[in-house]
Amino acid sequence: MKKVLGAAAAAALAVSAIAASPAAAFTPLNPDMMPAMQQDLGLTYDQAVAALATENAASALSESLTAALGDTFAGSYYDAATKRLHVDVTDAGKLDQVKAAGADAGVARFSATQLNSTVDKLNSAEGTAPKSVTTWGVDSKTNRVTVTVEPGKAGDVDSYLARTGVDKAAVTVVESADRPSLQYDVRGGDAYYIANKARCSIGFSVTGGFVSAGHCAAIGSSLTGYNQVAMGSFTRYSFPTNDYSLARTNSNWTPRGVINNGTRVAGSTEAATGTSACKSGSTTGWTCGTIGAKNQTVRYAEGTVYGMTATNIRSAGGDSGGSIIAGNQGQGLLSGGNSTTMYFFPLNKALSALGATLIRG
């Protein structure tokens, strides 16, 4: 026990030390996370670093107190306003122990074990749950299991709880019309399928969908993602002469300003000939080379395409439509090539022709 409490105390000291000098004590592992935190959470860079530092320390303290408190542990949560960890216990005699470790403390009715057991019982009978019930799970702040149900259907929950034999006092029922659905990210380089047969690659996310190669589009045919989930449909394409297309995605998919290896798409500034560039495609993955000659006319057997850019980046069938990016700047949509040269259609020309807006990461 002394060893566990010692770990908790050490974590508490870490919280204090980090709070005093967050930037010096913590280095974010993923730099791309910082702009997102600044944008979505309204933080400065230093505030984002400080938040990650104190949150990580609070998580370590929560883990050690969970072990130290055993069955009296009733849940924990990080309070962003106070920048402190709050821990609830079922035994008031444990309050001082929690405070001594460096967390705020409170007394709650149900232990974390009891709440998790309630979830387990609901899970075991999930097959009999009414369709109106959409979610359930532990809420550490309220010390209850929250069950979400469609508006006006609270009675469905009562009958379900009765069948499962859970303690109704441990459950809070919330009505919501916002039913959850599966969601997937639209990312450059990921595969998509036309009519469940032909496979190509996503180029770049745009508002409401994505752009790809024109020869990889078919109006009126089904469009599914890398996981064979319905994705939406193509609304416009141009091939030959050009080689671009626009797909509108459905509500299951969220366009993101990233390539599928995590590279952020910051814009579409055209790179100079001779500079390095990389490609992401669903066949050969991530390959790199250099930007070659521009304004190239390429005469495929299927038709001629004008204004393309040559590269020595390696690619293969199925990579068509994939992302060409230089640094964090999108360059184009993979069109085709031979054993030594790969051609792409310039992204800015495609965006302009389609009236599409690039999503930036």
Side-chain angles (χ1 to χ4, degrees):
M1 180 64 74
K2 289 183 179 179
K3 183 176 181 180
V4 173
L5 292 178
L13 290 175
V15 172
S16 299
I18 290 171
S21 182
F26 183 82
T27 301
L29 296 179
N30 183 358
D32 285 346
M33 182 185 294
M34 308 312 291
M37 291 185 68
Q38 291 173 250
Q39 173 181 297
D40 296 335
L41 300 179
L43 304 173
T44 65
Y45 179 87
D46 286 344
Q47 288 172 334
V49 171
L52 288 173
T54 54
E55 288 164 8
N56 283 1
S59 296
L61 178 57
S62 176
E63 184 176 35
S64 62
L65 281 173
T66 299
L69 295 167
D71 289 339
T72 66
F73 176 74
S76 66
Y77 60 88
Y78 177 74
D79 188 330
T82 63
K83 297 180 174 57
R84 290 178 59 82
L85 179 72
H86 180 94
V87 176
D88 284 324
V89 292
T90 56
D91 180 0
K94 300 288 186 177
L95 291 173
D96 288 342
Q97 179 180 336
V98 173
K99 293 175 182 177
D104 294 333
V107 176
R109 177 175 176 179
F110 299 100
S111 69
T113 299
Q114 289 173 306
L115 295 178
N116 287 326
S117 177
T118 299
V119 171
D120 290 341
K121 289 180 180 179
L122 295 175
N123 288 346
S124 65
E126 185 275 333
T128 68
K131 290 184 178 180
S132 58
V133 178
T134 57
T135 67
W136 57 74
V138 175
D139 185 341
S140 295
K141 288 188 176 181
T142 64
N143 190 237
R144 295 292 187 274
V145 171
T146 298
V147 178
T148 306
V149 66
E150 294 174 349
K153 300 288 186 177
D156 292 352
V157 178
D158 290 337
S159 59
Y160 180 52
L161 297 181
R163 288 198 302 274
T164 60
V166 301
D167 183 352
K168 291 185 179 181
V171 175
T172 298
V173 178
V174 175
E175 295 188 357
S176 174
D178 190 9
R179 191 175 186 90
S181 61
L182 293 176
Q183 294 184 336
Y184 308 95
D185 286 344
V186 177
R187 308 176 306 172
D190 276 345
Y192 65 85
Y193 298 85
I194 302 171
N196 295 317
K197 295 179 181 179
R199 171 174 59 84
C200 285
S201 303
I202 292 171
F204 294 89
S205 291
V206 297
T207 301
F210 67 86
V211 290
S212 183
H215 74 272
C216 281
I219 305 296
S221 295
S222 65
L223 170 63
T224 55
Y226 66 90
N227 49 9
Q228 300 292 344
V229 172
M231 198 172 197
S233 62
F234 280 99
T235 58
R236 291 181 60 188
Y237 77 93
S238 179
F239 179 85
T241 303
N242 303 295
D243 199 3
Y244 59 75
S245 61
L246 174 65
R248 294 299 182 190
T249 51
N250 59 34
S251 59
N252 291 332
W253 295 82
T254 302
R256 303 290 190 189
V258 295
I259 308 302
N260 59 3
N261 70 343
T263 299
R264 181 172 61 93
V265 180
S268 57
T269 300
E270 185 177 329
T273 294
T275 59
S276 60
C278 297
K279 172 233 87 215
S280 183
S282 60
T283 298
T284 57
W286 186 254
T287 58
C288 300
T290 55
I291 300 290
K294 300 183 181 183
N295 197 20
Q296 300 293 294
T297 297
V298 180
R299 303 183 69 204
Y300 298 119
E302 297 81 3
T304 301
V305 179
Y306 304 91
M308 293 209 288
T309 298
T311 77
N312 59 358
I313 300 174
R314 179 170 55 87
S315 65
D319 285 332
S320 288
S323 323
I324 315 300
I325 191 165
N328 289 113
Q329 300 296 313
Q331 298 300 306
L333 311 168
L334 196 156
S335 178
N338 52 37
S339 60
T340 60
T341 306
M342 182 269 282
Y343 297 94
F344 67 80
F345 192 83
L347 176 59
N348 284 334
K349 287 177 64 176
L351 295 175
S352 177
L354 292 166
T357 301
L358 181 70
I359 291 182
R360 302 166 188 259

